[in-house]
Amino acid sequence: MPEGDVVWYTARQLHEALAGRVLTRSDFRVPRYATVSLTGQQVTEAAARGKHLLIRTSGGLSIHTHLKMDGFWRVRPATTRLGESYKVRLLLANEDWQAAGYLLGITEVLPTPEEQRVTGHLGPDLLGPDWDADEAVRRLSQRLERPIGEALLDQKNLAGVGTVYAAEMLFLRGINPWRPVGEVQDLHALVELGQRLLDFNKMRLGHVTTGDTRRGQENWAYGRAGRPCRRCGTPIRRGEQGPPGQERLRFWCPNCQR
Ligand SMILES: [Zn+2]
């Protein structure tokens, strides 16, 4: 599942291609909005909020999309001929650019003043202009018995962390993902580290936490089950964690993370 930095980067690409330009085409390929047309409206902004993406128009509408598991966007010059793809959920174009959203998990249109309905539940956005570490810590601290690995992924606590950054943040702070939130020494340092990691990676695609961008060298724990810990050599473990039906993968070093 894409992490907050990918959504931030995608929003930036969409903003550069669409903002300030009038839509010459809008093609919603989801049944509920199949008859909606935003052609003739100007896009004012494309913005990320956690893992949610909002494209706002001069007509007071917001297109709300979410990449969920497999979604992605591609921006191409307007002159490029797009092959027909059943994976496209939304196509937006102006005189210069066309943007296609593939396999989007959510595609909906709502009045801009009602955006709170779809993003109001989110905690502080790690890459948002209003990032607030204290508020993230306050929200995390509301359920002290909850495993920290699970709490970090709850977007109501802080918005933008996915399984990669959760694994890497906990490795770098030496915290076992199963440790209860109430027993984590310094929640503030943990969330600030997450903010720095996402910020470091937001201008490109990739989640580098080791400082080494070479393929296979990017991460400390994530995706490295059975391979030796880069610090101590102990095999990295893999497990599942989360509420029933929403289990997500965890990677950790049983020696470095307590
Ligand atoms: Zn280790």
Side-chain angles (χ1 to χ4, degrees):
M1 180 178 276
E3 315 251 338
D5 54 348
V6 170
V7 181
W8 189 95
Y9 185 74
T10 303
R12 186 184 150 99
Q13 287 183 308
L14 291 173
H15 185 84
E16 285 176 357
L18 301 176
R21 294 182 170 97
V22 173
L23 291 170
T24 53
R25 185 179 178 192
S26 86
D27 185 357
F28 288 85
R29 298 183 186 170
V30 286
R32 193 169 160 209
Y33 297 99
T35 58
V36 170
S37 173
L38 302 181
T39 301
Q41 294 198 26
Q42 188 182 74
V43 171
T44 55
E45 188 177 19
R49 177 86 182 116
K51 298 187 191 177
H52 298 255
L53 215 151
L54 296 157
I55 301 169
R56 302 177 181 124
T57 76
S58 56
L61 294 175
S62 292
I63 303 166
H64 168 229
T65 62
H66 194 296
L67 302 174
K68 293 283 180 175
M69 296 305 283
D70 303 311
F72 61 95
W73 283 85
R74 287 288 176 271
V75 176
R76 301 181 184 88
T79 49
T80 306
R81 258 189 98 81
L82 286 183
E84 278 303 309
S85 171
Y86 69 93
K87 294 178 179 176
V88 173
R89 299 289 177 269
L90 172 59
L91 189 67
L92 298 171
N94 54 43
E95 285 191 342
D96 302 312
W97 298 101
Q98 52 190 338
Y102 296 83
L103 298 173
L104 305 174
I106 296 174
T107 307
E108 62 178 343
V109 182
L110 69 164
T112 301
E114 292 177 22
E115 281 181 6
Q116 278 293 312
R117 185 158 59 76
V118 293
T119 58
H121 65 289
L122 297 172
D125 181 354
L126 287 151
L127 294 178
D130 53 350
W131 163 241
D132 182 344
D134 292 336
E135 174 63 10
V137 169
R138 190 189 69 77
R139 289 178 178 232
L140 283 168
S141 304
Q142 284 174 337
R143 284 179 61 186
L144 296 173
E145 78 295 347
R146 199 176 187 191
I148 184 66
E150 190 184 310
L152 283 180
L153 285 185
D154 185 339
Q155 305 294 303
K156 294 192 289 294
N157 289 331
L158 63 173
V161 172
T163 49
V164 180
Y165 287 112
E168 299 297 292
M169 289 161 68
L170 292 171
F171 178 89
L172 286 164
R173 295 290 302 165
I175 301 164
N176 187 295
W178 270 268
R179 197 195 289 183
V181 169
E183 292 175 21
V184 173
Q185 287 286 336
D186 191 344
L187 285 171
H188 203 276
L190 180 64
V191 300
E192 286 287 24
L193 170 67
Q195 198 280 333
R196 288 200 302 278
L197 291 176
L198 265 81
D199 191 65
F200 176 73
N201 285 294
K202 72 182 181 184
M203 295 297 283
R204 54 174 168 186
L205 296 175
H207 309 304
V208 177
T209 54
T210 54
D212 189 337
T213 58
R214 286 176 297 169
R215 195 176 171 81
Q217 302 295 319
E218 304 99 322
N219 297 133
W220 294 97
Y222 184 82
R224 301 192 66 246
R227 298 173 62 194
C229 170
R230 297 190 197 281
R231 279 187 57 201
C232 75
T234 304
I236 296 287
R237 279 205 199 147
R238 183 175 82 163
E240 287 191 346
Q241 184 183 56
Q246 299 172 45
E247 295 90 349
R248 307 272 296 275
L249 282 177
R250 296 289 175 274
F251 297 88
W252 74 103
C253 172
N255 182 44
C256 294
Q257 296 174 254
R258 302 298 178 96

